[in-house]
Amino acid sequence: MAEKLALIVIDMQNDYLYEKRKKRFSYNTDKLTADVNELIHQYDNNGHDVIYIRHLIQNLPTNRLLFGYSLAGTEGAALYDGLDVVSSLCFDKYFGDALTNKKLLELVRKKGYDELHLCGLDECGCVTSTALGAVKRGLKVSVLKKGTATVMGEAKVRKAHERLEKAGVRSI
């Protein structure tokens, strides 16, 4: 029997990818989006669920000053326009670990996936947090090299990889 997989596409949102983004979000939007869209269609065509995650920050005056991105209800918090959306499975999170969303965790448990495959943003942030959160909850998880990006330096990337490897998360 074929493995039951889910592709979880993390934080592919306007504020990180569109032309109006802050300079610190210097992702290669065209390449990343092309890679993620290719993965989305690959998984979808093979009968696997594709789940989208949006990182939200409460739209409060202090957060507008402190962060100024991913603010709930703004254009910037929406999924990136260039992203191919093939399912209605979209969940919001307020913490790095997407599985802190109880409805997402409930879906994952109900569907009984053999493994979760993660891609998106940021490899050293929410992707790593979600992978470690999955391990903590007894779920098998892998991070896809293709379709995952970071704006962090080599030292942070190395540290994230070490944490994931130590936790038993594969990088494929």
Side-chain angles (χ1 to χ4, degrees):
M1 193 167 93
E3 243 190 331
K4 191 172 186 180
L5 304 173
L7 176 66
I8 300 184
V9 179
I10 300 174
D11 299 351
M12 293 288 291
Q13 294 163 260
N14 286 330
D15 270 344
Y16 307 118
L17 298 168
Y18 70 172
E19 290 173 14
K20 294 187 273 182
R21 69 185 178 221
K22 293 181 181 296
K23 289 197 183 339
R24 71 179 189 188
F25 300 125
S26 58
Y27 302 103
N28 182 337
T29 296
D30 293 339
K31 181 178 181 353
L32 177 63
T33 303
D35 287 349
V36 170
N37 284 339
E38 187 180 320
L39 288 168
I40 287 168
H41 292 289
Q42 178 187 327
Y43 280 73
D44 187 48
N45 292 339
N46 286 311
H48 302 299
D49 286 341
V50 177
I51 301 169
Y52 301 88
I53 305 297
R54 293 186 312 170
H55 185 78
L56 297 183
I57 296 171
Q58 285 185 304
N59 196 344
L60 303 170
T62 51
N63 289 343
R64 286 195 290 277
L65 286 171
L66 282 171
F67 301 102
Y69 59 88
S70 280
L71 296 168
T74 65
E75 172 193 17
L79 290 176
Y80 178 59
D81 291 337
L83 186 67
D84 293 342
V85 178
V86 299
S87 84
S88 61
L89 299 174
C90 184
F91 297 87
D92 295 335
K93 65 178 177 64
Y94 291 92
F95 302 99
D97 175 2
L99 295 164
T100 57
N101 179 309
K102 287 179 172 63
K103 284 185 169 40
L104 173 61
L105 184 57
E106 196 176 286
L107 174 84
V108 166
R109 296 225 190 272
K110 189 173 119 192
K111 293 269 192 164
Y113 299 114
D114 295 310
E115 187 169 357
L116 304 176
H117 288 177
L118 311 181
C119 69
L121 301 174
D122 182 281
E123 180 181 10
C124 294
C126 296
V127 173
T128 292
S129 291
T130 301
L132 294 173
V135 169
K136 187 174 88 179
R137 291 170 180 88
L139 302 167
K140 187 174 180 190
V141 61
S142 294
V143 173
L144 303 177
K145 291 176 195 168
K146 179 181 184 170
T148 302
T150 188
V151 290
M152 301 299 170
E154 273 185 51
K156 278 206 176 205
V157 171
R158 197 170 36 256
K159 188 175 179 181
H161 288 181
E162 286 168 5
R163 287 178 65 205
L164 291 169
E165 197 175 300
K166 187 177 176 186
V169 176
R170 292 184 314 149
S171 184
I172 55 176

